[in-house]
Amino acid sequence: MAEVDTKRPLLDYRPADGYFDELVAADGSPRPHAQALAAALDAIGPSQLVDAGRRRDTIFVQQGITFDTTGEDGPTVERPFPLDLVPRILPASEWTHIKRGLAQRIRALNRFVDDVYHAREIVRAGVVPWRLVVSRSHFARAAHGIRPPGGVYCHVAGCDLVRDVDGSWKVLEDNVRTPSGISYVLENRVAMTRLLPGLFSAYRVRPVDHYPQLLLAALRSVAPAAEGEATVVVWTPGHLNSAYFEHAFLARQMGVELVEASDLVVRDDVVYMRTTNGLQRVHAIYRRLDDDFIDPLEFRPDSVLGVPGLMRAYRAGTVALANAIGTGVADDKAIYHYVPEMIRFYLNEEPMLDNVTTYLMSDPEAMEAALKRMDELVFKPTGESGGKGVFIGPENDAPTLAGLADVIRHSPDKWIAQEVVRLSTMPTADSTGALSPRHVDLRPFAVFGETISIVPGGLSRVAMIEGSMIVNSSRGGGSKDTWVLEDGEDRSDDAAPARPESLPPALPDLRYGAWTGQQQQQQQQQCSPG
Amino acid sequence: MLARIAQELFWLGRNLARAEHTARLLEGVFQADLQGRPEGQISATTLSWESLMHIMGGRRDREVSDGRDAVLDALTHDPDNPASVVACVMRAREGASAVRDVISAEMWEAINTTHLRLRGGEFVPRDKTGHYDIYQHVRERSALFWGLTARTMLRDEASAFLLAGGRIEAGDMVLRMLRVALPDVPDGNQADGQALALLQAVGGFQAYRRAVPAPAHAKPVARFLLFERNYPDSVAASVDAVNASLRTADSRPRASEPILRLSRLSADLEFRRSAETDADMRVTCHEVQRELGLVDGDIAQRYFGGARAA
């Protein structure tokens, strides 16, 4: 592996100036953990990469791992999920740091949700203004005073991380409502082992396929039922939802029912599903739709996706919802600003992962300062997710920004401004198999049951357009398989990892049956007239 | 029907089932081997390249080293290794050609095409170690063959022997896998990524998820693969299927040793399932496999005119 070709390393890859490249250092040589990968990629070459890309598209289309994009004015097109074939590698030590930082953050967010619907200690201590909390669009009055089993609200969380110019990890966004993408993490890994198994040969990569088990165990642990008897379901808005693939994927992997609203019914504050055997009690619901839609009696009365009476059952404690009602208040972008303070307040710890510098537009001084340098900042609406309504200052013209300034002045509560993060880059293959730098982020997925477990790696999203920092798949972003290495990265180091040193039992020989022996075959052939 | 034809059909079924199970097993081990272990979990089951050679039995015409590439090569497309996928398909095709008048034309074509494409050089491993295409091919074509059998072949004695062969081999292969992969430590309830690989190797992952509430640990997985009659590839289901096939073929089933033996084995599996004891699974597997071996001998004795399996 030391014999990396220094003249033409990594298929002529040139990192972009002014950004942190995760695979190669500034001088163009692969970073230590990436040397074997670079050599393997060189050995594969562009034409094989293109070939593997074609097979990837075929496999994804055949397996239905696709998403719909709508053309400018054309019909909806079904495209294979975009997976870039150059994996992203995180050494064990780096991952340990991320993992601890995330667990810390999620613990704090969970405490925060509990607090705002109960004692409001953080408000009384003057850390977070109450006016800001109640004005959040996802603040749920209906959740007041309800404490779910184990005090866990954010059963499933996905935080978006980015890497700044100096290589340090920062949290860009918290998703504690219904973060999606985990199915792609699992499918990407399966695809990579099939398409380019050679890339794995120098590494021991931590597997990700136990996520459904973790999720199921977490859901069972919070279900109000006796051990081992809990009925868990995944609740999807329906097969037209853009994340339906993931809903079905999780239900199948966990071996539980995938239900829609019409399958659920509440009787006497207990949730049931309609089965061929009559009503069957449901103990835990992994719901993939927002609070607003789940119960027309409590939230939006026009919701046809909801189950009337569900909130009554939830309040009575006969059913667990994951995530709990009201968690949306914690992933609001204005609340995000306070997360480091929350960590200090609730946990008495220093945050291990920093925020991106953020200005609240509800603060008049900060607003005026931000509006003066609009072309240098990013403006985000607080209650949205998935990159909706985000304005990147340097990429917009003056009239647009002037219009935006009016909107922000009108409702400053609903906006934040952030410094532009210079996202790190990774070599990414284009349609000719050549590698060029593209910006990436990382969304690890955490499951909070009895403890917090985080699946090694997560979804790396990559902007497929040069220079672009928009990584959302709905806007043309792709993804990368993310490898977290085991300690002792080199495979040769850990000879036969901890396998029981016993000889396998002596099995009987395979049997082979044949009526006609070789000799007879030959004679048959000789007998036949030429 | 002719004893010779019956035996050819029986072995046609066996060879095809062996090819499919070997392909699935290799794919499962390959996938599991590429990745490390989940954090903080130890492996209670062992599925490794060395153990693969053990699964395929002692009969090796030449010594193969235990490295990954050597094992993959030997068991995938080495025509000279009788246990390889390619060799199994080749024998199945030879067998099929000997009974072309008995099986349907579509069945013959399915198996012949499978063989021809395997030998046609279409499946050159691309990335040196990737054999995924071959395994997928064998899986799909084998499903096609059995589907056509169900759809186009008269359900007579001939189809009974074909099915009996396929199912007895399936049972034997699953037992081989279990015996090698099962832990010899008594605590098989450890969380375990390898048991998952075992399930995926036989294609039973989703079925397990739906049937068993427990996580995929070594012990519940082994119980599932041994006893769960509702899962078509479990040992119990295979034993029952062989039994049912032979009953349709035999004119005097109540005097038939293989049928009596299979019925006893079937009941025995049910007893062991409900006993819930901590009896060593490996002992159970060993005994069941020995019994299946005796059944095989009985079948040759009773139906194939004493033409013992070579």
Side-chain angles (χ1 to χ4, degrees):
Chain A
M1 291 308 155
E3 288 292 310
V4 177
D5 183 359
T6 44
K7 270 183 289 179
R8 229 183 118 268
L10 199 59
L11 311 174
D12 250 346
Y13 175 70
R14 299 267 176 276
D17 283 340
Y19 298 97
F20 181 84
D21 192 276
E22 298 191 12
L23 219 147
V24 301
D27 64 353
S29 62
R31 296 183 189 278
H33 66 262
Q35 281 181 3
L37 175 67
L41 283 169
D42 273 331
I44 287 171
S47 65
Q48 279 208 52
L49 265 186
V50 172
D51 180 49
R54 263 197 299 274
R55 283 186 289 140
R56 166 201 60 203
D57 291 348
T58 314
I59 292 180
F60 276 9
V61 170
Q62 279 171 356
Q63 298 184 347
I65 308 170
T66 57
F67 72 104
D68 296 335
T69 49
T70 318
E72 284 294 293
D73 45 14
T76 316
V77 198
E78 201 181 48
R79 294 235 179 101
F81 184 72
L83 161 67
D84 182 69
L85 293 174
V86 181
R88 183 187 203 176
I89 302 181
L90 300 177
S93 57
E94 211 160 289
W95 173 247
T96 308
H97 173 70
I98 295 174
K99 194 174 72 172
R100 290 193 187 137
L102 282 177
Q104 178 191 49
R105 199 168 170 102
I106 291 160
R107 264 201 313 278
L109 286 169
N110 196 71
R111 289 280 294 273
F112 176 72
V113 177
D114 187 73
D115 197 17
V116 298
Y117 296 118
H118 292 90
R120 300 176 196 164
E121 278 162 18
I122 198 162
V123 176
R124 279 192 260 144
V127 179
V128 181
W130 180 241
R131 193 182 53 78
L132 185 77
V133 173
V134 290
S135 63
R136 296 306 92 198
S137 54
H138 294 289
F139 178 75
R141 273 167 222 288
H144 185 80
I146 307 177
R147 181 166 285 141
V152 179
Y153 296 80
C154 311
H155 308 88
V156 176
C159 294
D160 291 349
L161 300 178
V162 294
R163 252 181 137 166
D164 215 339
V165 184
D166 59 355
S168 66
W169 292 91
K170 294 203 161 116
V171 179
L172 188 63
E173 231 174 76
D174 304 294
N175 299 288
V176 289
R177 277 177 287 160
T178 53
S180 59
I182 185 65
S183 56
Y184 296 119
V185 175
L186 272 65
E187 293 288 9
N188 281 353
R189 176 62 53 80
V190 173
M192 286 298 285
T193 59
R194 283 181 182 167
L195 293 166
L196 295 169
L199 295 187
F200 288 82
S201 55
Y203 296 100
R204 280 213 77 87
V205 181
R206 289 205 175 128
V208 292
D209 54 7
H210 57 298
Y211 177 85
Q213 271 176 275
L214 289 178
L215 181 58
L216 186 60
L219 292 169
R220 287 222 172 97
S221 77
V222 297
E227 180 85 19
E229 287 171 11
T231 303
V232 174
V233 298
V234 177
W235 180 9
T236 174
H239 67 275
L240 296 177
N241 187 275
S242 60
Y244 179 76
F245 165 74
E246 176 153 310
H247 308 161
F249 176 89
L250 288 173
R252 189 181 72 224
Q253 294 269 319
M254 293 195 288
V256 304
E257 295 295 341
L258 179 65
V259 302
E260 296 182 15
S262 59
D263 300 320
L264 295 177
V265 58
V266 180
R267 296 270 160 83
D268 298 330
D269 296 354
V270 175
V271 183
Y272 299 91
M273 59 181 172
R274 296 177 219 269
T275 74
T276 48
N277 271 329
L279 295 181
Q280 187 189 335
R281 167 105 191 253
V282 172
H283 300 95
I285 302 176
Y286 179 42
R287 50 140 178 161
R288 294 298 297 251
L289 64 177
D290 270 352
D291 290 357
D292 278 356
F293 293 99
I294 65 164
D295 184 349
L297 299 183
E298 293 270 354
F299 299 97
R300 281 175 59 162
D302 61 336
S303 169
V304 291
L305 303 171
V307 177
L310 182 63
M311 270 307 281
R312 270 200 339 258
Y314 178 62
R315 220 173 260 132
T318 60
V319 67
L321 289 177
N323 289 351
I325 305 290
T327 53
V329 70
D331 71 10
D332 187 279
K333 295 199 175 60
I335 297 296
Y336 157 88
H337 174 70
Y338 292 101
V339 176
E341 287 302 316
M342 279 177 209
I343 293 172
R344 295 188 188 101
F345 181 78
Y346 292 120
L347 309 177
N348 234 339
E349 293 170 14
E350 272 306 299
M352 299 175 71
L353 292 170
D354 286 334
N355 270 7
V356 174
T357 313
T358 303
Y359 310 102
L360 292 186
M361 294 299 94
S362 51
D363 174 355
E365 274 176 42
M367 179 176 80
E368 287 311 323
L371 292 184
K372 279 201 188 87
R373 43 190 284 260
M374 283 186 87
D375 56 346
E376 296 168 19
L377 298 174
V378 179
F379 292 87
K380 295 179 174 176
T382 55
E384 294 287 352
S385 63
K388 276 182 236 136
V390 172
F391 286 85
I392 299 171
E395 289 178 12
N396 281 285
D397 53 16
T400 314
L401 291 178
L404 177 64
D406 288 342
V407 174
I408 293 174
R409 283 211 169 83
H410 181 257
S411 52
D413 273 5
K414 302 261 183 274
W415 290 88
I416 57 159
Q418 284 181 333
E419 297 289 346
V420 175
V421 188
R422 299 168 71 81
L423 297 194
S424 56
T425 58
M426 273 289 300
T428 300
D430 64 14
S431 56
T432 65
L435 300 183
S436 49
R438 293 287 183 271
H439 295 289
V440 286
D441 80 346
L442 176 66
R443 176 181 285 183
F445 290 89
V447 173
F448 195 165
E450 276 156 1
T451 56
I452 296 179
S453 335
I454 303 178
V455 173
L459 184 64
S460 284
R461 299 184 297 176
V462 49
M464 296 306 260
I465 301 161
E466 188 167 7
S468 167
M469 302 219 187
I470 306 282
V471 295
N472 305 75
S473 55
S474 53
R475 297 171 67 181
S479 70
K480 278 174 176 294
D481 189 16
T482 310
W483 296 359
V484 172
L485 303 183
E486 289 188 351
D487 289 327
E489 291 153 26
D490 198 347
R491 202 169 240 218
S492 50
D493 286 355
D494 56 345
R499 286 210 173 99
E501 287 292 318
S502 68
L503 279 175
L507 297 189
D509 284 354
L510 288 175
R511 290 168 190 252
Y512 296 93
W515 185 275
T516 46
Q518 291 271 317
Q519 285 183 334
Q520 206 185 339
Q521 271 185 21
Q522 281 165 7
Q523 283 185 10
Q524 276 185 22
Q525 284 158 4
Q526 286 159 7
C527 284
S528 56
Chain B
M1 69 183 299
L2 290 175
R4 174 175 58 84
I5 299 293
Q7 199 211 13
E8 288 289 4
L9 284 164
F10 182 78
W11 278 97
L12 167 56
R14 281 201 82 147
N15 280 318
L16 254 192
R18 188 176 298 171
E20 188 201 338
H21 278 83
T22 310
R24 284 185 181 278
L25 181 61
L26 288 168
E27 197 185 335
V29 175
F30 185 68
Q31 295 264 351
D33 183 61
L34 283 182
Q35 302 180 52
R37 289 148 288 146
E39 284 168 277
Q41 297 193 1
I42 63 137
S43 200
T45 41
T46 45
L47 264 186
S48 63
W49 299 111
E50 310 93 83
S51 60
L52 266 184
M53 291 313 280
H54 280 277
I55 291 180
M56 300 316 290
R59 176 157 167 171
R60 281 184 253 167
D61 289 355
R62 55 205 162 82
E63 279 307 307
V64 180
S65 71
D66 286 341
R68 178 179 75 177
D69 291 352
V71 174
L72 272 177
D73 240 36
L75 290 181
T76 305
H77 42 213
D78 180 355
D80 300 328
N81 180 5
S84 75
V85 173
V86 168
C88 286
V89 172
M90 196 173 71
R91 279 196 309 276
R93 185 248 197 176
E94 272 171 19
S97 80
V99 293
R100 269 180 79 168
D101 55 326
V102 185
I103 61 177
S104 76
E106 287 179 64
M107 289 160 67
W108 157 250
E109 203 180 310
I111 201 161
N112 193 34
T113 318
T114 313
H115 167 75
L116 291 177
R117 283 186 59 192
L118 278 181
R119 298 306 297 272
E122 187 179 331
F123 298 103
V124 185
R126 281 165 231 249
D127 190 8
K128 240 192 148 186
T129 45
H131 295 74
Y132 171 66
D133 290 359
I134 288 198
Y135 304 142
Q136 193 188 20
H137 175 68
V138 171
R139 265 193 285 126
E140 283 178 359
R141 299 299 295 192
S142 147
L144 177 72
F145 177 84
W146 293 112
L148 285 170
T149 305
R151 185 80 178 72
T152 62
M153 190 176 181
L154 186 67
R155 290 195 191 141
D156 58 358
E157 250 182 277
S159 75
F161 279 109
L162 178 63
L163 284 175
R167 297 309 298 266
I168 202 171
E169 181 68 29
D172 186 61
M173 284 298 287
V174 171
L175 284 165
R176 278 172 191 278
M177 261 188 255
L178 282 174
R179 288 189 63 192
V180 173
L182 272 184
D184 49 0
V185 284
D187 184 14
N189 278 322
Q190 297 271 8
D192 192 344
Q194 295 276 347
L196 209 64
L198 190 70
L199 270 178
Q200 262 150 356
V202 295
F205 175 66
Q206 268 108 32
Y208 177 84
R209 275 271 168 268
R210 291 191 78 85
V212 186
H217 299 164
K219 197 172 167 192
V221 167
R223 286 180 57 85
F224 175 78
L225 291 177
L226 266 178
F227 301 131
E228 181 54 65
R229 287 195 151 77
N230 291 333
Y231 174 61
D233 209 38
S234 72
V235 174
S238 294
V239 166
D240 286 356
V242 178
N243 196 353
S245 288
L246 292 185
R247 275 172 196 278
T248 61
D250 200 307
S251 55
R252 288 185 304 122
R254 290 167 71 187
S256 158
E257 293 86 359
I259 290 177
L260 293 176
R261 206 182 272 285
L262 283 163
S263 305
R264 187 174 64 189
L265 181 56
S266 176
D268 184 47
L269 281 168
E270 200 60 27
F271 270 119
R272 286 177 194 254
R273 184 180 75 88
S274 48
E276 275 287 356
T277 56
D278 272 340
D280 191 345
M281 285 291 200
R282 284 163 56 132
V283 175
T284 304
C285 290
H286 174 67
E287 287 166 6
V288 174
Q289 193 178 30
R290 195 186 52 206
E291 200 64 16
L292 266 188
L294 293 175
V295 168
D296 190 76
D298 287 343
I299 290 175
Q301 189 74 41
R302 181 170 175 87
Y303 305 114
F304 309 150
R308 303 296 305 218

